[in-house]
């Protein structure tokens, strides 16, 4: 059984589920999903710049309307449950948790405890953070000790 730690920011779409569950062909995959809610570590200005860069001006204007910090834990929990159910329905083992503090430290400890084979970071593009190598995948590569694959999430 191949074990993947999967870090997400939003609920998995059906396209995301198909993509991550078929990465290793017919080999069985077990997922440990870490749901990263919006919080203080995600700068509103950087997200707005990313939205503008992607031509999503309406999204940029609504950045301040999204729940953050403790207010984001409820929606994150629902997104996690949806994602775990979708992975299980696709035939994979899946457990997970909402990450409340220090996501990279949590990722490293989960990788060590589970003896995971890889980390998959599935996020929307974050152009500013990626340019400066401050995105989750770039930072995780220096912390977790296993291969880190960065994928862009789909929207439905």
């Amino acid at each position: 059984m191949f074990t993947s730690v999967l870090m997400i920011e939003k609920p998995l779409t059906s396209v995301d589920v198909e993509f991550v569950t078929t990465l290793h062909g017919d080999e069985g995959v077990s997922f440990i999903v870490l749901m990263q809610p919006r919080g203080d570590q995600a700068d509103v200005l950087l997200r707005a710049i990313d939205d503008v860069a992607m031509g999503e001006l309406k999204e940029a204007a609504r950045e301040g309307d999204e729940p953050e910090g403790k207010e984001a834990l409820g929606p994150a929990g629902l997104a996690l449950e949806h994602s775990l159910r979708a992975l299980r329905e696709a035939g994979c083992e899946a457990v997970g948790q909402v990450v409340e503090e220090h996501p990279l430290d949590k990722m490293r400890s989960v990788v060590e405890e589970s003896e995971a084979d890889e980390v998959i970071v599935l996020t929307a593009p974050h152009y500013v953070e990626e340019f400066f190598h401050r995105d989750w995948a770039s930072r995780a590569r220096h912390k977790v000790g296993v291969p880190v694959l960065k994928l862009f999430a789909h929207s439905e």
Side-chain angles (χ1 to χ4, degrees), residues 7-10 36 38 41-51 53-54 63 121-138 150-153:
M7 179 176 250
I8 61 175
E9 299 172 317
K10 294 182 178 183
Q36 176 61 52
R38 292 168 66 106
Q41 74 282 353
D43 184 21
V44 175
L45 178 60
L46 291 178
R47 289 194 309 258
I49 292 170
D50 283 339
D51 289 338
M54 293 180 3
E63 279 300 332
V121 178
L122 183 71
T123 68
H126 298 291
Y127 297 116
V128 175
E129 292 174 356
E130 290 169 25
F131 180 78
F132 292 107
H133 302 285
R134 301 300 303 155
D135 59 298
W136 293 121
S138 296
K150 178 180 180 176
L151 302 173
F152 291 122

Side-chain angles (χ1 to χ4, degrees), residues 34-99:
L34 300 178
M35 176 68 198
Q36 176 61 52
R38 292 168 66 106
D40 297 333
Q41 74 282 353
D43 184 21
V44 175
L45 178 60
L46 291 178
R47 289 194 309 258
I49 292 170
D50 283 339
D51 289 338
V52 170
M54 293 180 3
E56 298 176 356
L57 299 178
K58 289 181 183 179
E59 292 297 322
R62 286 192 291 243
E63 279 300 332
D65 297 339
E66 294 287 329
E68 293 191 4
K70 297 236 183 263
E71 293 176 4
L73 294 179
L78 293 174
L80 175 63
E81 288 305 315
H82 166 83
S83 299
L84 293 175
R85 187 172 39 257
L87 290 168
R88 290 175 188 142
E89 288 172 359
C92 297
E93 293 179 15
V95 297
Q97 60 187 285
V98 174
V99 178

